[in-house]
Each structure stands twice: as C-alpha cells, then as structure tokens.
Amino acid sequence: MSALVPAVLGGVPTAALGLMSAHALRLRRANRHAADRHRLELDRAAALERALADEELRGRLRDEAIRRFASSRLPELLAAVWRGHPAEPAGTAYPAQLAGSDFTAVLDHLGGEFARIVEDAAQRAEGATKTTVLALARALTALVNEQQAAVDRLTNSHGDVAVLADAMAIDHTVSQLSRRVQGIAVLTGAWPGLQRADSPLLDVTRGAVSRIRDYQRIEITGAPDVAVASRCVEGVVIALAELLDNAARHSHPETRVRVWFDRGHHGTLVTVDDAGPGLGPEDRVASQLVLSGQTATWLTRLGNPVRLGLPIVAALADRYGFQVNVGQESDAKGVRAVVFLPNTILAPLPAPAGAGTQAADAGAEAYPRRADGLPQRTPRTPRTASAPATGSADRAGAGHEDHAATVSAVLRGRHAARQQFPEPTTTERT
C-alpha cells in the first residue's frame, strides 16, 4: 500500500500541487493579518481606555481647578486689590496634566478680567468716598470757623477771668476739631487751606502742641535756629500735632512726651519720644510702610477702628517733602517718632521784632491772626520745660484760667485805651 502512494502522488499534476501550496501560504498570511488586526484592535481598545481614563482624570482636575479658582484664587485677587497690592491672575499653580492648556489660559484670562473689574470698582468707590468725605469736611470747616469766630467775639467782649477761662477751654477744643477736620480733608487730596509766613520751627512745634488735648504733658527742649518755609508751615504743624497726639494718647497720663531738635547738614530732625507700650515688630513694619508711602492710604481701606493719625502724616509728608520714621524705640521703650525736615522746606529765622512785641507774641507766627492783627489765642506751652504732667481736668482748667487772667488784663488795657482814644467814625476817615 505504501508503495502505491508515491505512484498516486506522482500522478497528480504539478500545477495542482503549486496551487495547493499557494493557497496554504495565503491562509497563513491571512491568519497572520487577522492576528495583527486583532492585536491592533486590542491596542486601540487599550489606548482608547487609557485616553478615556486620562480624560476622566483631566475632567476631575478641571473641576477641582474651577472650584479652587472660585473658592480661593478669586478671593485672593480680591484681597490683594483691597490691600492695595498688585493682583497676579497668572499665579495659580495648575497640575501638570493641565499646564499650558487652553483651559488654564481661559482661567488666567478670567482672573485678569476679574482683577481689572475689582480694581476699577475699588477706584470708583474710593473716588466716591473721597468726594463725599471732602464735602463733609468742607461743611464741618465752615462750622468750625463760625465757632472760632464766636469764641473770638466772646473773648473780645468780656474781661472776666472766669468767662475767659471757659472761652479758652472752648477755643482749645475748637483747635483740636479744626486739626481733625483738616487731616480728614488732607486724606481726600485737599490742601489744609491756610498760608502762613516763614515761621520759626520752635513756634511751629508749639502750634502743634496747642492743637492736642494733653498739651500740658509735652516738654520741648532746645530752640532750633531755623524756620519752616511759608508754604509748608501748616502741613508740618498738622503732622507734628498728629504725632504728639498719638504719643500722648498711647502713653500713661502721668508721663511726659519729650520733643527735641537736631540740626544736620541736609536738614533738621524733630524727635518725639513717649513712654507708652511701644509697637510690636509687625505693627512697626506696617506703620513704616504707611509712613514711607509703600502702602497706599485709601479711605475705603482704613479698617475698623479707623486710625487716621499715621495716614494723615504720610499724606502730608509726601505732599510737603519731609520724612517720618517710627522704626526706633524711645529710651523708655515706647515709640520714637523722628521727623526729618530737609533744607528745601526750611528757611532762615525771620528778622526779630521789637523786644516787647516779641515777648508778647512769642510763638504767634505759627497761629492764625484775627481781623485786628492780634494772634489768635490758643493754649501754648512755655519756652522752658512744661508744667508737671497730671492729665487731670482740674489741672487743664487751671491752665486755661492762668491764660485767661493774662488775656483779661490785655483786654482791659485795650478797652481803657479805646475809651480814652475812640476810633474815628466812617465820616471822619473819609
């Protein structure tokens, strides 16, 4: 039987064998192609699954980024604008899967638009607030001027010591109110509204002392031989008054606030030392940022409680060109405020008047004058050391009475002179 197979095969045509071999080869190739396609489909399916998984991950990351943008980044932008710091909308850190994508670009654009809108709204709110506050300050200024005029009429028409003592107390309160209203107006961008002659720095300092409540606790040492230029007198008076008021209010009522002067090559230093609790490191840095102008002062950002003193000083320093520093401690571990007045806002001392007039009107250059030419009467500290600090109302009242007795004597003399030498009538003048 085995011998018959070759014979049978040998009988098969050679062409048929070739066809069978080619068919078998095609089958093998088809099987390989089918296997390759299957593997390709599997790879595609796996890639699709990975792509779907990646897209799901990116979707979750986008959702989380949106939540973080809304709950954290937008409030951070709002807080930065509110504090006066530059907003940086592109400061958000995104996951690597989202970095550089159109999605992050859209979020950054939205952040920038939000910051711009908030800044614009803040500017508009600040402008509206300044307009309102300035209108109120002007109205209050008119009332203060009326009150001051009434006090002047009272002191001019009465020689009684008790009446004048009460008038001096009212006058002192009016001067404090006027300073506060002027300071508020300065924060709105307005000018103090007063123009004076060149005034000795000592008199300017006394003018500042007269505008604070605890004026009796201020002790001035030394007499600098320079004057403040006319255009800057009122600004320096208000700034020194704010610093003196802060020093007195934040220190024990039994302590003194000491003031002295140092002359330098580029200007003059006015140092104010108190014996209060001082400033902590953070408060000291924050105060210096305000005084140096690095932190902008906005009426809408003054906070609660409102602290106007340093912002007013900062505004005046920037406007008039002097510098204020609170970076040191006083000898009593309180606050040492140093005001540097450059030579550009100083002037030589005015020519001295007659000895009698100079003695009567000591310190008057830094004060407003009435219509009759006499200096307006406000409490002043003596040229020597101040009276012992008590902080009591009785002591303050006694100071007004002492001042009133002097003013009463002057007014009685004026009244007697007018009785003896009456002023000419309008007809006589013409």
Side-chain angles (χ1 to χ4, degrees):
M1 184 65 182
S2 59
L4 293 176
V5 173
V8 173
L9 291 176
V12 177
T14 303
L17 290 175
L19 290 173
M20 293 175 61
S21 299
H23 180 68
L25 181 59
R26 285 195 296 273
L27 287 176
R28 287 196 299 271
R29 288 176 177 173
N31 290 336
R32 283 198 301 271
H33 290 164
D36 291 340
R37 284 196 300 272
H38 182 65
R39 284 194 298 270
L40 182 60
E41 292 297 329
L42 291 177
D43 291 342
R44 289 177 177 174
L48 182 59
E49 290 180 359
R50 289 193 298 270
L52 290 174
D54 291 342
E55 187 58 32
E56 290 179 359
L57 175 61
R58 283 192 292 269
R60 291 194 297 270
L61 292 175
R62 284 193 292 266
D63 292 342
E64 179 61 27
I66 292 174
R67 284 192 294 269
R68 189 177 304 166
F69 181 80
S71 62
S72 298
R73 187 57 186 156
L74 291 183
E76 289 173 0
L77 291 171
L78 180 60
V81 174
W82 182 256
R83 291 192 300 267
H85 298 163
E88 298 179 357
T92 305
Y94 297 107
Q97 294 88 339
L98 301 179
S101 64
D102 293 340
F103 173 79
T104 60
V106 170
L107 282 188
D108 287 342
H109 176 72
L110 290 176
E113 287 298 301
F114 178 81
R116 184 187 61 78
I117 292 172
V118 171
E119 288 176 353
D120 181 67
Q123 293 281 357
R124 291 174 180 270
E126 179 68 11
T129 302
K130 284 185 175 180
T131 300
T132 302
V133 172
L134 179 57
L136 292 174
R138 286 173 173 168
L140 289 175
T141 298
L143 294 176
V144 169
N145 291 338
E146 290 181 11
Q147 190 172 15
Q148 186 65 67
V151 173
D152 287 342
R153 289 193 297 270
L154 179 64
T155 56
N156 286 331
S157 59
H158 292 274
D160 183 78
V161 173
V163 174
L164 288 175
D166 292 339
M168 292 300 100
I170 296 172
D171 183 78
H172 183 217
T173 303
V174 172
S175 69
Q176 296 176 69
L177 178 59
S178 176
R179 170 179 62 86
R180 182 57 73 192
V181 173
Q182 282 179 296
I184 294 174
V186 165
L187 290 179
T188 68
W191 292 88
L194 295 174
Q195 182 74 22
R196 309 198 185 282
D198 292 352
S199 301
L201 179 55
L202 180 61
D203 294 341
V204 169
T205 305
R206 287 174 174 166
V209 171
S210 74
R211 300 190 188 187
I212 71 170
R213 183 185 61 183
D214 298 323
Y215 65 95
Q216 290 183 316
R217 293 173 50 203
I218 309 301
E219 181 179 296
I220 302 176
T221 302
D225 59 349
V226 294
V228 178
S230 61
R231 70 183 187 280
C232 303
V233 169
E234 190 66 15
V236 175
V237 168
I238 297 173
L240 286 177
E242 292 295 340
L243 295 174
L244 291 169
D245 188 60
N246 274 352
R249 287 179 180 272
H250 294 91
S251 57
H252 195 276
E254 297 296 330
T255 62
R256 295 186 182 184
V257 175
R258 304 182 185 276
V259 182
W260 70 89
F261 311 92
D262 292 293
R263 185 70 184 272
H265 179 75
H266 298 287
T268 298
L269 299 176
V270 183
T271 302
V272 178
D273 259 15
D274 67 52
L279 295 173
E282 293 183 359
D283 291 336
R284 193 177 301 278
V285 171
S287 298
Q288 198 56 47
L289 289 175
V290 172
L291 291 172
S292 64
Q294 297 181 55
T295 297
T297 298
W298 286 34
L299 293 177
T300 51
R301 299 171 182 169
L302 291 177
N304 187 20
V306 176
R307 292 181 174 88
L308 297 175
L310 291 186
I312 291 173
V313 174
L316 291 168
D318 178 68
R319 179 171 300 176
Y320 291 100
F322 58 89
Q323 299 173 12
V324 183
N325 189 291
V326 294
Q328 305 177 48
E329 286 185 343
S330 68
D331 294 338
K333 302 300 182 182
V335 175
R336 171 170 293 175
V338 180
V339 181
F340 174 69
L341 304 174
N343 291 330
T344 53
I345 68 170
L346 298 178
L349 283 176
T357 304
Q358 186 175 5
D361 293 348
E365 290 297 333
Y367 298 90
R369 289 182 176 272
R370 301 187 327 210
D372 58 9
L374 290 176
Q376 180 176 305
R377 293 174 295 279
T378 53
R380 298 178 176 87
T381 55
R383 187 173 291 271
T384 57
S386 64
T390 62
S392 66
D394 293 340
R395 181 66 187 175
H400 290 307
E401 289 176 359
D402 294 341
H403 193 189
T406 302
V407 175
S408 176
V410 173
L411 291 178
R412 285 196 300 271
R414 287 180 56 198
H415 180 71
R418 287 176 177 174
Q419 291 294 326
Q420 185 175 359
F421 304 103
E423 295 182 357
T425 63
T426 305
T427 303
E428 291 173 339
R429 288 195 183 101
T430 60

